[in-house]
């Protein structure tokens, strides 16, 4: 009995020593809490059995029953076997890392698929439905493209059948005759009726005997009427961007007005959305032509329309630069004179010549008024100042300035400018005695009003 007890104690001690080491450092693959719990249960059973064996040795005749420890040992053994299995799997993963990555990826995707199976099924159904809709739309688009190609072919056939230069010839001839160009005209040249020729009234060829101005004008008229058509029988409906590059070169003043009016009509049609022209560029060196072609009674007083822009090309040191303006930057000399009068920082040395040129252009040339008639508009001191005004501006604009005269008095300049303004104010007041006298020349006033309205000025200066 003593020998049996000793062997049992040695065996249990060996088991506990190994488990103590394992519990102290269980490693990453063992559940340390579960192992400790199961080890304490086994150790408690061992200790209880030791106590019963000691009691048996004291009383050999007593009967004892040892605790059954196989269940506790099996639980610990199962835990260790599970850890060994995980270790083996880990070692296998390390030995073939590429295969393990592929396996892990496959498992992750399988997990995602299983988790999102409902979403994937819904997506497949939606994608299938949309695919069928896209196929249907593509079929309709192909059908519409075929129909468009068929209609385009019909349109080209119709255009080719109705294209003729005869209406253009008649319209250009009408313009030529209406503006006094009676020495030549256009005629249909070929049997097909699709070409022009320039002839004299007797039918002889005039292409080589036209003057430079006549050539320029007939070229412009041809270009102008070509805007509504095309050089081919199937291009009349194409959108166009038109550039007029100094079209009044070599033209006289009468033709300049005609060209300006025709270009303004093109601009008006573009603004109204008529015809096939979508944008117009007008380039010119002629300031007077610019004034005529850019005239627009409905343009804002300060600025420009939303659909138009003004640019000036300047060249300095052989380098050209383009400058944009939010208003019409090109002005006539007469407009510049009035800007100089309005400028508060004007030079007193030049204001006399400016006032003289305005009076001569505005009152004497256009109105036919003499100096004494204008002075008669005023009474008292203002009449003296007005008379002095004419003497002052004529003297200051025609004579040389000596050093003493150059020291112009600002107060005197302001006094003369006040009377200068009243000349125009009193001339526009038919209810005043002096205004009635000036308004007796109704033709002059009508011309004066038309002139100021055309140049963008109000009645009151």
């Amino acid at each position: 009995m003593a020998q049996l007890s000793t062997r049992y104690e040695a065996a249990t001690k060996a088991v506990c020593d190994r488990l103590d080491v394992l519990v102290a450092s269980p490693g990453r693959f063992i559940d340390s809490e579960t192992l400790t719990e199961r080890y304490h249960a086994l150790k408690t059973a061992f200790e209880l059995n030791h106590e019963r064996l000691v009691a048996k040795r004291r009383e050999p005749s007593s009967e004892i029953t040892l605790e059954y420890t196989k269940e506790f040992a099996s639980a610990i053994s199962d835990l260790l076997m599970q850890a060994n299995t995980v270790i083996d799997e880990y070692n296998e993963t390390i030995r073939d890392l590429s295969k393990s990555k592929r396996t892990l990826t496959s498992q992750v995707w399988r997990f995602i698929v299983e988790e999102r199976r409902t979403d994937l099924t819904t997506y497949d159904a939606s994608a299938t439905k949309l695919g069928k809709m896209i196929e249907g739309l593509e079929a309709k688009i192909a059908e519409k493209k075929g129909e468009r190609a068929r209609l385009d072919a019909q349109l080209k056939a119709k255009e080719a059948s109705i294209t003729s230069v005869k209406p253009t010839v008649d319209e250009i001839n009408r313009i030529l005759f209406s503006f006094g160009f009676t020495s030549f005209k256009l005629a249909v040249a070929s049997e097909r009726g699709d070409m022009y020729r320039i002839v004299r009234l007797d039918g002889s060829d005039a292409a080589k005997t036209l003057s430079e101005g006549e050539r320029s004008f007939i070229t412009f008229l041809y270009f102008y009427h070509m805007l509504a058509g095309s050089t081919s029988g199937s291009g009349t409906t194409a959108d166009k961007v038109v550039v007029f590059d100094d079209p009044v070169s070599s033209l006289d003043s009468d033709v300049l007005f005609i060209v300006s009016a025709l270009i303004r009509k093109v601009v008006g049609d573009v603004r109204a959305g008529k015809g096939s022209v979508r944008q117009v560029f007008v380039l010119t060196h002629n300031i007077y032509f610019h004034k005529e072609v850019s005239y627009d009674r409905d343009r804002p007083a300060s600025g420009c329309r939303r659909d138009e822009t003004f640019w000036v090309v300047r060249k300095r040191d052989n380098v050209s630069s383009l400058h944009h303006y939010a208003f019409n930057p090109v002005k006539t000399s007469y407009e510049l004179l009035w800007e100089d009068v309005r400028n508060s920082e004007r030079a007193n040395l030049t204001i006399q010549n400016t006032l003289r040129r305005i009076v001569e252009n505005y009152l004497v040339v256009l109105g036919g008024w003499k100096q004494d008639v204008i002075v008669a508009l005023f009474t008292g001191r203002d009449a003296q100042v007005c008379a002095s005004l004419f003497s002052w501006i004529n003297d200051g604009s025609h004579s040389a300035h000596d050093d003493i005269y150059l020291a112009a008095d600002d107060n005197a300049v302001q006094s003369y400018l006040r009377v200068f303004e009243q000349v125009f104010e009193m001339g526009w007041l038919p209810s005043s005695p002096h205004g009635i006298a000036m308004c007796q020349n109704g033709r002059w006033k009508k011309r004066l009003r038309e002139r100021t309205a055309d140049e963008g000025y109000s009645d009151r200066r």
Side-chain angles (χ1 to χ4, degrees), residues 158-179:
K158 294 291 185 182
E159 288 178 345
S161 64
I162 65 175
T163 298
S164 174
V165 300
K166 187 63 169 62
T168 303
V169 168
D170 294 339
E171 181 62 21
I172 291 179
N173 287 336
R174 185 190 66 78
I175 295 178
L176 289 174
F177 289 131
S178 64
F179 289 103

Side-chain angles (χ1 to χ4, degrees), residues 344-389:
S344 60
E345 298 180 358
R346 75 184 75 83
N348 291 336
L349 180 62
T350 60
I351 187 60
Q352 293 166 305
N353 185 56
T354 302
L355 297 179
R356 177 190 61 79
R357 292 177 63 184
I358 292 176
V359 169
E360 290 181 353
N361 187 33
Y362 205 77
L363 298 178
V364 177
V365 176
L366 286 178
W369 286 91
K370 297 182 179 180
Q371 175 179 334
D372 55 350
V373 176
I374 298 175
V375 173
L377 295 173
F378 300 89
T379 59
R381 177 173 175 77
D382 286 345
Q384 297 177 358
V385 174
C386 183
S388 176
L389 170 65

Side-chain angles (χ1 to χ4, degrees), residues 175-176 179 181 213-224 227 244-267 280 282-284 286 288-290 292-294:
I175 295 178
L176 289 174
F179 289 103
F181 292 87
E214 291 173 337
R215 289 176 183 271
S216 299
F217 186 44
I218 197 69
T219 301
F220 173 81
L221 290 179
Y222 172 78
F223 177 77
Y224 172 78
L227 298 180
F244 295 101
D245 188 1
D246 216 356
V248 295
S249 177
S250 303
L251 299 181
D252 57 28
S253 58
D254 292 336
V255 179
L256 183 145
F257 286 107
I258 303 171
V259 172
S260 301
L262 294 177
I263 294 178
R264 285 203 304 270
K265 184 177 184 305
V266 174
V267 174
V280 177
V282 181
L283 313 177
T284 184
N286 191 317
Y288 193 76
F289 168 70
H290 180 278
E292 291 297 324
V293 78
S294 63

Side-chain angles (χ1 to χ4, degrees), residues 422-436:
Q422 290 180 0
V423 169
F424 295 93
E425 288 181 346
M426 297 183 68
W428 293 123
L429 297 177
S431 60
S432 67
H434 308 293
I436 293 174

